[in-house]
């Protein structure tokens, strides 16, 4: 079974459409790899876990995937995690360049070979971000890619 880790960053005003926008972009980026049958872990900050936006994320997610493992992490857990994306505002507030990328990497940290598969995607309304980490598929298993 393949394990994928979705790191979610979002504002208080994020709506189901915000999460759908991120998800559509991210899954399109993963389109060459079959994600059916993958085990998903969705990660978010503990400080956001009791917000209305977190409830909207959970409601939206239940409609999209049959089973999701949920993890929440303290803001301090993502501090100093190096990310390819960089926002000066987030660097100042969280000591990392991207909340979504840092959460995805932190959630997948149990497997040292995990890496970001999808860099931070931003929703059309700019209220949510998503990054995905996991083990890369060997190129021989990706349709259309020659070994």
């Amino acid at each position: 079974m393949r394990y994928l880790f979705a790191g979610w960053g979002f504002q208080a005003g994020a709506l189901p459409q915000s999460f759908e926008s991120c998800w559509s972009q991210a899954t399109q980026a993963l389109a060459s790899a079959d994600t059916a049958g993958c085990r998903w872990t969705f990660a978010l900050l503990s400080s956001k876990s009791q917000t209305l936006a977190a409830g909207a994320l959970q409601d939206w997610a239940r409609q999209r995937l049959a089973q999701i493992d949920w993890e929440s992490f303290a803001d301090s857990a993502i501090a100093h995690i190096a990310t390819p994306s960089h926002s000066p505002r987030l660097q100042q507030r969280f000591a990392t360049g991207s909340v979504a990328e840092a959460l995805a990497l932190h959630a997948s940290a149990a497997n040292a070979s995990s890496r970001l598969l999808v860099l931070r995607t931003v929703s059309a309304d700019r209220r949510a971000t998503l990054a995905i980490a996991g083990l890369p598929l060997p190129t021989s298993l990706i349709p259309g890619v020659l070994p």
Side-chain angles (χ1 to χ4, degrees):
M1 176 170 289
R2 186 169 188 212
Y3 294 88
L4 295 174
F5 302 86
W8 289 95
F10 51 88
Q11 297 174 357
L15 303 166
Q17 321 60 304
S18 309
F19 304 117
E20 180 61 33
S21 175
C22 288
W23 186 256
S24 295
Q25 293 174 65
T27 54
Q28 185 176 6
L30 285 175
S32 63
D34 184 16
T35 57
C38 289
R39 181 74 180 228
W40 284 93
T41 297
F42 280 19
L44 61 149
L45 292 175
S46 298
S47 60
K48 302 276 188 166
S49 65
Q50 299 302 314
T51 64
L52 290 174
L57 171 60
Q58 291 171 343
D59 291 343
W60 168 85
R62 276 189 219 102
Q63 296 173 12
R64 294 301 254 138
L65 296 166
Q67 185 174 356
I68 302 167
D69 295 322
W70 291 90
E71 295 282 343
S72 60
F73 300 101
D75 294 5
S76 61
I78 63 168
H80 309 294
I81 294 177
T83 61
S85 300
H86 180 78
S87 161
R89 182 182 64 81
L90 294 177
Q91 186 68 46
Q92 184 175 13
R93 183 170 176 197
F94 297 102
T96 189
S98 167
V99 169
E101 290 174 353
L103 281 167
L105 289 168
H106 186 67
S108 69
N111 188 328
S113 300
S114 286
R115 65 176 179 87
L116 284 173
L117 303 175
V118 177
L119 299 181
R120 178 184 64 144
T121 60
V122 181
S123 64
D125 63 8
R126 306 203 52 79
R127 294 180 180 177
T129 59
L130 168 64
I132 299 173
L135 291 175
L137 281 179
T139 55
S140 62
L141 297 179
I142 300 175
V145 176
L146 298 174

